[in-house]
Amino acid sequence: MSHFVRVRFAPSPTGPLHLGGIRTALYNYLFAKKYGGTFVLRIEDTDQKRFVPNSESYIIKTLKWCHIEPDEGVGYGGPYYPYHQSKRLNIYRYYINKLLEKGDAYYAFETDEDLDRKRKEYKEMGLTFSYNYENRNKLDNSLNMTNKQLKKKLGVCSSYVIRFKINPGEKLKMHDIIRGCITVDTDHLDDKILLKSYGGATYHLASTVDDHLMKITHVIRGEEWLSSLALHSLLYRSFGWESPNFAHLPLILRKDGKGKISKRDADRLDFPIYPMQWMNNNTIIPGYKELGYFPDAFVNMLALLGWNPGGEREIFSLQELIKSFSLKRIRKSGVFFDIKKVYWFNKRYLIKKKEEVFYFLCKKVQKNTISKYKTDYFWKVINLTINRIHFIHEIWEHSFYFFIRPSFYDPYFFNKIKNNHERIILKLNHAKSLLYKINKFISVNLKLFFQNYEENKCRIKMMQLFRLSLVGSLKGVDLFIILEMIGKEESIQRLDNLIKKIKEKI
């Protein structure tokens, strides 16, 4: 494939990008980079009624966070400026006039109310109304007027749309890179609107014109546009232009089987659907970035959400994804999204990013204690606890007890032991006196100490008490390693603190 590959990501500024949108951007980016091509960002903002403030900046920030920045387009410049469709209305007007001159488009004067009445009439007869070749000659449009009548109508009527005229009786054959040959009977197509009543171009016209003028070679977009492929192919043919290559991506489905992932469900789902944080009706909806996911782990996960590189391998850097990517290995059917898999990816990357964990832990320790610890100590703590976490920010929760004393004790277990407080205090004091006698305070010796400590049942109970004193709960890594690392003096002090706390509760 030549280096003249040009692809575009063309979102509408109607809110934040969700998983499906950012995956579309990613696949366009990977395809362009694989063939040394150009990745263009275009903003399809012709529908100003649906415009949502801050959407555009959100889109650009998200692409930057994912490290899939465009080579050209909004925020990046380029030879085909402007890249906002709202600034290209004169261009669309020029091309709509060409279609009108050829007779491939026509004026339609029905209002929304008129069409609603028609639909109601047809429904009462058990039929479905469609603005197509069967009905258009019976409706209020320029196909049923002389030029003189049309001019008069345009002179007194400011409200109209322009529709594309579909000719019936053709089996239209098209090709999709992912889905293969697609055949559509034009008898089943309706005459879609190309220019709206307020003068704005629809997606169908604007995207076709822009893709041609911007020399887009491959249109990689979501499956929801597959039903528009026939219309877009006919538009290309009507203009006399070569059609780009099309690839329609599968839907990302909810694992609960309740349809595709949608923005409408963003605040109701138990997993994030946005790459970055978004504010909706004064409610902050966190994204993957704010929840602690690595951008490269997020991108790696997203790439495999519908694309299969072949083989069992799952971990790919961005450069490896570029090298391996192929549109032909994208699946046709929808793919289920599983948040547990995203956790798995982040954990794999976390293990590769121990340096970042190290710096995060150092800052946390500096903030919470004045004590000084050697670098080796930090690394030992990280190696002991990293397999227990999925995110960098979780490291402190799982390792704080190596640096500071617990400030509270598990209330459930604490309440159990305080009912037998006198015996517990005696046992803890006895164990404390025995600890003093251990010369070499290392895990091997400490393990032997507990093995020789009374019968098995009492030994288990005592180990739980020790863990409670050291950690504040029955969680944490190997008890004997904790004792060795914090040392004899600190261990005995934490036992004293637990004894004191039990006495306070008596």
Side-chain angles (χ1 to χ4, degrees):
M1 195 174 294
S2 78
H3 64 281
F4 292 110
V5 164
R6 286 177 61 83
V7 298
R8 49 72 165 179
F9 176 52
S12 297
T14 55
L17 290 177
H18 70 345
L19 289 170
I22 194 64
R23 186 192 63 175
T24 298
L26 173 62
Y27 284 1
N28 274 279
Y29 175 89
L30 295 176
F31 185 75
K33 295 304 167 188
K34 177 164 186 173
Y35 295 104
T38 303
F39 174 46
V40 180
L41 174 62
R42 191 171 71 218
I43 298 295
E44 303 203 333
D45 59 346
T46 54
D47 191 348
Q48 290 295 306
K49 292 178 182 177
R50 296 177 62 222
F51 175 79
V52 175
N54 302 318
S55 297
E56 186 179 308
S57 61
Y58 179 93
I59 290 165
I60 293 172
K61 287 175 184 175
T62 296
L63 295 177
K64 285 183 177 179
W65 181 67
C66 293
H67 305 301
I68 53 173
E69 291 192 64
D71 305 296
E72 178 183 316
V74 175
Y76 296 86
Y80 299 101
Y81 178 87
Y83 293 91
H84 287 90
Q85 288 190 332
S86 60
K87 297 176 182 178
R88 299 173 64 82
L89 298 181
N90 288 337
I91 298 173
Y92 308 139
R93 260 291 182 186
Y94 172 80
Y95 285 99
I96 201 79
N97 285 335
K98 283 186 171 293
L99 293 176
L100 288 167
E101 289 167 9
K102 282 189 69 179
D104 287 346
Y106 60 92
Y107 295 90
F109 296 96
E110 295 85 6
T111 64
D112 290 340
E113 291 75 17
D114 294 333
L115 294 176
D116 284 340
R117 278 194 295 272
K118 277 289 179 188
R119 292 185 189 99
K120 189 176 180 181
E121 287 172 16
Y122 273 61
K123 188 176 182 181
E124 287 172 353
M125 294 185 289
L127 301 171
T128 301
F129 173 75
S130 180
Y131 207 122
N132 60 8
Y133 77 97
E134 290 183 307
N135 294 315
R136 63 193 176 204
N137 291 328
K138 298 176 283 186
L139 297 167
D140 189 14
N141 58 59
S142 59
L143 296 175
N144 306 312
M145 300 175 187
T146 64
N147 286 337
K148 187 176 179 180
Q149 288 172 323
L150 176 60
K151 285 180 182 178
K152 185 177 179 182
K153 186 83 168 177
L154 290 172
V156 297
C157 181
S158 59
S159 180
Y160 61 83
V161 299
I162 295 176
R163 292 179 179 272
F164 186 67
K165 184 182 176 184
I166 301 284
N167 295 317
E170 180 184 359
K171 297 291 191 293
L172 184 65
K173 293 187 181 296
M174 301 159 292
H175 180 75
D176 182 277
I177 296 171
I178 297 169
R179 298 158 198 279
C181 184
I182 298 171
T183 302
V184 172
D185 189 337
T186 58
D187 286 0
H188 300 148
L189 300 177
D190 55 348
D191 294 352
K192 293 292 187 186
I193 296 172
L194 299 180
L195 200 73
K196 300 174 190 177
S197 57
Y198 60 85
T202 63
Y203 171 83
H204 306 300
L205 176 68
S207 65
T208 300
V209 170
D210 287 345
D211 287 343
H212 171 73
L213 296 181
M214 295 181 184
K215 295 183 169 53
I216 300 302
T217 60
H218 295 75
V219 174
I220 305 166
R221 59 188 180 184
E223 182 183 301
E224 63 270 23
W225 293 111
L226 189 59
S227 60
S228 300
L229 179 59
L231 172 61
H232 298 170
S233 298
L234 289 170
L235 277 168
Y236 274 100
R237 189 169 75 183
S238 181
F239 283 123
W241 298 335
E242 182 182 350
S243 175
N245 299 284
F246 286 95
H248 290 85
L249 308 175
L251 295 173
I252 300 177
L253 305 172
R254 290 169 54 169
K255 199 169 185 292
D256 60 11
K258 295 181 179 179
K260 68 175 183 176
I261 288 175
S262 167
K263 290 180 187 179
R264 292 188 297 273
D265 301 320
D267 54 355
R268 295 194 292 270
L269 296 173
D270 57 358
F271 59 86
I273 68 167
Y274 299 145
M276 296 173 65
Q277 178 177 286
W278 179 255
M279 176 80 76
N280 183 39
N281 297 325
N282 296 320
T283 300
I284 295 175
I285 302 175
Y288 285 87
K289 178 184 177 183
E290 291 71 29
L291 292 172
Y293 289 86
F294 297 110
D296 38 2
F298 174 74
V299 165
N300 192 162
M301 173 279 298
L302 208 57
L304 298 180
L305 204 57
W307 167 71
N308 177 8
E312 298 298 317
R313 184 181 175 191
E314 292 186 275
I315 302 300
F316 291 84
S317 68
L318 188 57
Q319 288 305 312
E320 288 169 333
L321 285 172
I322 290 169
K323 187 177 179 181
S324 304
F325 188 72
S326 168
L327 290 174
K328 292 180 180 178
R329 294 199 65 89
I330 293 175
R331 59 188 292 174
K332 299 175 187 177
S333 57
V335 56
F336 289 101
F337 175 79
D338 185 356
I339 190 63
K340 291 179 182 177
K341 192 66 177 178
V342 195
Y343 291 151
W344 181 87
F345 271 103
N346 212 65
K347 189 177 186 72
R348 300 284 80 71
Y349 276 82
L350 180 74
I351 291 167
K352 292 166 63 177
K353 294 173 181 283
K354 285 185 180 180
E355 289 280 347
E356 292 184 39
V357 180
F358 173 81
Y359 290 118
F360 180 88
L361 185 58
C362 285
K363 287 181 181 178
K364 273 287 185 182
V365 171
Q366 288 169 7
K367 186 178 178 182
N368 288 280
T369 176
I370 58 171
S371 302
K372 300 293 182 183
Y373 295 92
K374 292 182 179 179
T375 299
D376 288 349
Y377 187 83
F378 279 101
W379 280 117
K380 191 168 183 180
V381 170
I382 290 169
N383 288 327
L384 284 167
T385 56
I386 198 162
N387 285 325
R388 295 168 174 261
I389 65 175
H390 288 85
F391 305 96
I392 285 181
H393 63 262
E394 292 177 339
I395 189 69
W396 181 246
E397 176 191 345
H398 289 270
S399 66
F400 73 90
Y401 50 84
F402 285 110
F403 304 97
I404 61 173
R405 296 165 189 170
S407 57
F408 67 93
Y409 301 95
D410 181 343
Y412 174 76
F413 190 73
F414 191 84
N415 287 333
K416 278 181 68 177
I417 64 173
K418 76 173 185 179
N419 295 329
N420 194 17
H421 56 270
E422 289 182 356
R423 187 163 175 268
I424 294 292
I425 290 171
L426 282 172
K427 279 187 168 293
L428 286 173
N429 278 318
H430 177 61
K432 193 174 68 170
S433 65
L434 293 175
L435 283 182
Y436 274 115
K437 297 176 182 178
I438 300 175
N439 292 325
K440 204 167 184 182
F441 207 76
I442 58 174
S443 59
V444 176
N445 291 347
L446 292 163
K447 195 169 187 178
L448 287 171
F449 161 73
F450 274 95
Q451 284 174 352
N452 296 326
Y453 191 88
E454 297 190 49
E455 60 192 60
N456 185 54
K457 188 176 178 181
C458 291
R459 184 165 65 245
I460 293 171
K461 189 76 169 179
M462 185 55 65
M463 288 174 69
Q464 288 179 330
L465 287 168
F466 265 66
R467 185 174 290 279
L468 187 68
S469 71
L470 301 179
V471 181
S473 68
L474 301 187
K475 299 176 182 178
V477 303
D478 185 281
L479 174 66
F480 309 113
I481 291 177
I482 299 173
L483 286 163
E484 178 183 336
M485 287 187 67
I486 66 175
K488 182 192 291 188
E489 206 174 297
E490 178 64 21
S491 297
I492 290 171
Q493 182 59 59
R494 293 190 190 188
L495 283 170
D496 279 336
N497 287 351
L498 179 59
I499 292 167
K500 183 181 177 184
K501 200 72 175 176
I502 295 170
K503 287 179 177 178
E504 287 175 2
K505 295 290 183 179
I506 295 173

